[in-house]
Amino acid sequence: MRLVIARCAVDYTGRLNAHLPPATRLLVHKGDGSLLVHSDGGSYKPLNWMSPPCHLETEEPGEEEASAGVVEVWRVTHKKTGDALRVQLYEIIHDSAHELGVDPGLQKDGVEADLQRLLAEQVDRVSEGATLVRREFPTAIGPVDLMVRDASGAAIAVEIKRRGDIDGVEQLTRYLELLGRDPHLAPVQGVFAAQEIKPQARILAEDRGIRCLVLDYEDMKGVESGIPRLF
C-alpha cells in the first residue's frame, strides 16, 4: 500500500464528471490497484475513488500544467468501463509504501451464531421455566435456530437475527407452518428474537401471533449459564 500526502487536484471522467480543486489530501493506492482520495474529515468515506480492476500510470505534466506548478500526474483507468481518475500533484509532502500482507478478515462480535449460543444457554429469556430441545431444529426448508418448550411443555420455535426485518418474520412464518404439521409439536408458538427489530417487522410478527424478543447482547455475555459467580 502506498500512502501519499500531497497538494493535488482531481478530475473524474466517465459516467459522470467530478472535479476537486487543489488542496492537501491523502492518496491511498492499494495493492489491488484501487485509489482513494481522502480529506481530513468525512470519517472513512473518500472524496473520490477508483475501484478495481484498474491501473495507475504516471504522466508528465503538460506545459500549461507545469507552468501552474504541477510536478506529476497520475491517471487511474478502470479496465472494464474506461472511467478515469486524473490526479494533478502540485507538491508531495509525504510518500511511503508499506507491505501489509494477507489480512485475516473482520471477525464480528455478536453475530447470529453467538446470539444463538447465548440464548440457548439462557432460554428463560424466551419463557420463564423453559427448557432447550435443540439448536438448529430441522425442518424441510432448513433449520429453525432454537426449539424450546415452556414450563407447561408447549413447543416454541425461535428465529434469531442481529437485525430483525420483514424477511426474518417471513422465514419464521414458513418454519411455523411446517412445524405445526407435526402432531408431537403442534401447536407451535413463534418467537422472533433480534438485537434490533424494525417497526414494520414487529407489526407483521404480532399480526401473525409471533412474539418479538429484543436481545441485549452485552447483558447476555455477562451471564455464565450454570457457573457459580463470586462477584
Side-chain angles (χ1 to χ4, degrees):
M1 179 183 292
R2 185 181 178 188
L3 305 175
V4 176
I5 298 175
R7 184 170 178 271
C8 61
V10 183
D11 289 281
Y12 190 100
T13 56
R15 289 166 291 182
L16 57 85
N17 296 331
H19 174 68
L20 291 171
T24 301
R25 301 183 177 96
L26 169 65
L27 306 174
V28 181
H29 185 221
K30 295 187 176 182
D32 61 5
S34 59
L35 180 70
L36 298 91
V37 182
H38 285 276
S39 65
D40 193 10
S43 186
Y44 64 90
K45 188 176 181 180
L47 296 170
N48 215 326
W49 67 93
M50 182 66 73
S51 301
C54 56
H55 177 65
L56 185 150
E57 293 180 333
T58 302
E59 302 176 353
E60 290 293 328
E63 290 185 10
E64 187 175 337
E65 290 176 317
S67 64
V70 177
V71 296
E72 191 173 309
V73 176
W74 294 359
R75 178 180 290 275
V76 185
T77 307
H78 197 277
K79 294 181 179 179
K80 292 184 178 180
T81 65
D83 290 10
L85 196 66
R86 193 171 188 270
V87 184
Q88 297 171 306
L89 291 92
Y90 291 84
E91 179 188 7
I92 298 176
I93 301 167
H94 172 84
D95 189 348
S96 63
H98 308 270
E99 179 59 52
L100 302 186
V102 178
D103 193 278
L106 178 66
Q107 297 179 353
K108 294 182 179 179
D109 189 20
V111 294
E112 290 173 18
D114 295 323
L115 290 169
Q116 183 191 116
R117 173 181 56 80
L118 289 168
L119 191 56
E121 295 171 353
Q122 303 168 34
V123 289
D124 269 354
R125 293 177 183 265
V126 177
S127 178
E128 187 175 353
T131 55
L132 176 67
V133 175
R134 178 175 170 176
R135 292 173 58 181
E136 300 289 339
F137 192 89
T139 77
I141 56 173
V144 67
D145 290 327
L146 299 182
M147 178 62 71
V148 305
R149 289 193 180 273
D150 66 15
S152 66
I156 305 174
V158 185
E159 186 62 23
I160 302 167
K161 302 291 183 186
R162 291 187 70 223
R163 291 182 176 84
D165 55 21
I166 287 176
D167 288 343
V169 177
E170 295 286 4
Q171 182 182 2
L172 179 55
T173 300
R174 293 191 292 271
Y175 290 151
L176 291 171
E177 182 180 350
L178 290 170
L179 292 167
R181 299 175 187 176
D182 186 339
H184 299 290
L185 296 173
V188 184
Q189 303 172 39
V191 171
F192 188 53
Q195 288 179 274
E196 174 188 350
I197 299 176
K198 295 183 178 180
Q200 301 92 330
R202 181 180 292 276
I203 291 170
L204 180 62
E206 292 174 352
D207 182 68
R208 296 181 176 180
I210 296 170
R211 182 160 56 90
C212 292
L213 175 63
V214 176
L215 301 175
D216 185 336
Y217 180 62
E218 293 302 320
D219 181 57
M220 293 172 73
K221 284 198 301 182
V223 177
E224 299 177 26
S225 179
I227 301 175
R229 305 179 70 181
L230 295 176
F231 303 99

